[in-house]
């Protein structure tokens, strides 16, 4: 599952399925899709008698696969939902606490494995894209584009320090481009990027509305940005800018 794109990635791994032709390779999930409540649920959801449940008794998977009970568990790792596990029965079944605990353990292990595999794949694509870039501008574009994809964020930008000390956005994804590309911060303005370059470490912001370590530019609030993460960019051993995701 791609949480940022709200897309099911497949085909899914499955055992015991009768009609494998319905295991789609990739599905964009409409806003009213029946699977969304399970993906967004805080934990496991149990339907112990599908045949009498008005929401699921007429679903294709219930009719054609003859499913009478199922348990779903969102697969989550590092704050991201990476999939959904179904445990299905062709007989009516009430899941015991021990069974639910076992399924949760398997789901947690699967989530970590999927997250790591996706991260490794994403980093490999990132590396290939960087190597294929033929200019500084192309490298910057790849960096912000892949940062959004890898982090599942809505925004990303690169801020560089100019010779006079000003900080300037040189590439972005998600912002109003005309506004953000003309946005500059003077040396005396303590912004997220300036603070990051001062402490020389990644800086996470859980809530910009309550942030007190530095000033938050109005353009951040105008875009409805609530949280963010920054990292220092180096030129050799010299800090030259920041990469941010929001």
């Amino acid at each position: 599952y791609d949480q940022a794109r709200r897309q099911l990635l497949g085909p899914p791994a499955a055992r015991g399925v009768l009609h494998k032709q319905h295991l789609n390779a990739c599905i964009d999930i409409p806003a009213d899709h029946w699977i969304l409540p399970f993906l967004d649920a805080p934990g496991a959801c149990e339907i112990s008698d599908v045949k009498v449940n008005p929401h699921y008794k007429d679903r294709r998977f219930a009719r054609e696969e003859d499913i009478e009970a199922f348990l779903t568990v969102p697969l989550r790792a590092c704050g991201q939902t990476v999939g959904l596990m179904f445990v299905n029965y062709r007989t009516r079944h009430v899941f015991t606490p021990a069974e639910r605990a076992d399924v949760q353990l398997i789901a947690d292990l699967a989530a970590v494995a999927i997250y790591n595999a996706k991260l490794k794949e994403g980093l490999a694509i990132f590396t290939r894209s960087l190597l294929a870039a033929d200019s500084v501008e192309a490298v910057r574009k790849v960096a912000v584009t892949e940062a959004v994809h890898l982090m599942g964020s809505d925004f990303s930008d690169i801020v560089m320090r100019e010779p006079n000390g000003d900080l300037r956005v040189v590439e972005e994804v998600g912002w109003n481009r005309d506004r953000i590309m003309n946005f500059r911060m003077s040396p005396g303005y303590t912004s997220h990027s300036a603070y990051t370059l001062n402490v020389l470490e990644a800086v996470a912001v859980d809530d910009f509305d309550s942030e007190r370590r530095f000033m938050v530019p109005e353009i951040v609030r105008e875009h409805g940005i609530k949280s963010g993460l920054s990292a220092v960019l180096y030129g050799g051993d010299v800090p030259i800018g920041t990469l941010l995701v929001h």
Side-chain angles (χ1 to χ4, degrees), residues 104-164:
Q104 186 67 61
L105 175 60
I106 295 169
D108 290 342
L109 294 173
V112 172
I114 292 170
Y115 178 84
N116 287 338
K118 289 177 66 176
L119 184 59
K120 183 178 180 180
E121 179 184 8
L123 290 173
I125 294 172
F126 188 16
T127 300
R128 289 196 296 269
S129 299
L130 286 174
L131 292 174
D134 57 4
S135 66
V136 172
E137 291 74 18
V139 169
R140 291 171 177 169
K141 192 63 179 178
V142 168
V144 293
T145 301
E146 292 301 327
V148 165
H149 179 68
L150 287 170
M151 299 297 293
S153 64
D154 300 305
F155 302 83
S156 180
D157 53 284
I158 291 177
V159 175
M160 300 294 288
R161 177 181 281 156
E162 299 196 317
N164 66 354

Side-chain angles (χ1 to χ4, degrees), residues 196-217:
T196 303
L197 289 169
N198 184 42
V199 298
L200 294 180
E201 62 183 19
V203 177
V205 179
D206 295 328
D207 182 3
F208 277 110
D209 289 337
S210 59
E211 179 56 53
R212 297 294 180 267
R213 293 169 294 181
F214 49 82
M215 293 180 282
V216 179

